[in-house]
Amino acid sequence: MRIHIGTDHAGLEFSTQLQHHLAEQGHEVVDHGPIEYDPLDDYPAFCIRAAQAVVRDQADGVETLGVVFGGSGNGEQIAANKVLGVRAALVWSIATAELAREHNDANVIAIGARQHTFDEAVSFIDRFIATPFSGEERHARRIAQLAAYEQDGILVPDPREGQPEPDVLDASDSFDPEAG
């Protein structure tokens, strides 16, 4: 499988180690940068390029996934999700790595390189790569809704439409959880 990687200065050392690990596992690794440490570099350019490559490869029928990371993984996930066709998930455990693939057919994951040990992060990445999309109808339906919105901005009808307005609490209302 081809794996596209993008990071920033916070993940540069991690990136080098990860590339060796993935190559040893038999994957083709494409590094989208950075190539040298610069504490002022910006992750969007690197992560967006990695995400674009994933979408391009998938459109060409290449089996591929992406991994983006930085200090927290949050900004990197946001950057990757700006690319049409990307479903990037922030992963922080084995379970979130599996669910990202099984339920969301995520094609990119984001990880906080400063939030986990290298071994933890690699276990998440390995699980993500090894886990297939379940293909269950409910998950496929939801992914199709996301893709449709991404293409034309149209949402499925609001199930609350035509219903009475919900009660709204304001700051002067009191709430007693014991009141039942």
Side-chain angles (χ1 to χ4, degrees), residues 5 7 11-22 31 34-35 69 118:
I5 295 177
T7 185
L12 185 57
E13 182 180 333
F14 177 88
S15 177
T16 303
Q17 291 178 286
L18 178 61
Q19 290 177 53
H20 289 291
H21 168 79
L22 292 171
D31 179 18
I35 56 172
F69 42 90
F118 178 75

Side-chain angles (χ1 to χ4, degrees), residues 160 163-169:
R160 300 169 300 168
Q163 301 294 318
E165 289 291 319
D167 290 334
V168 178
L169 296 177

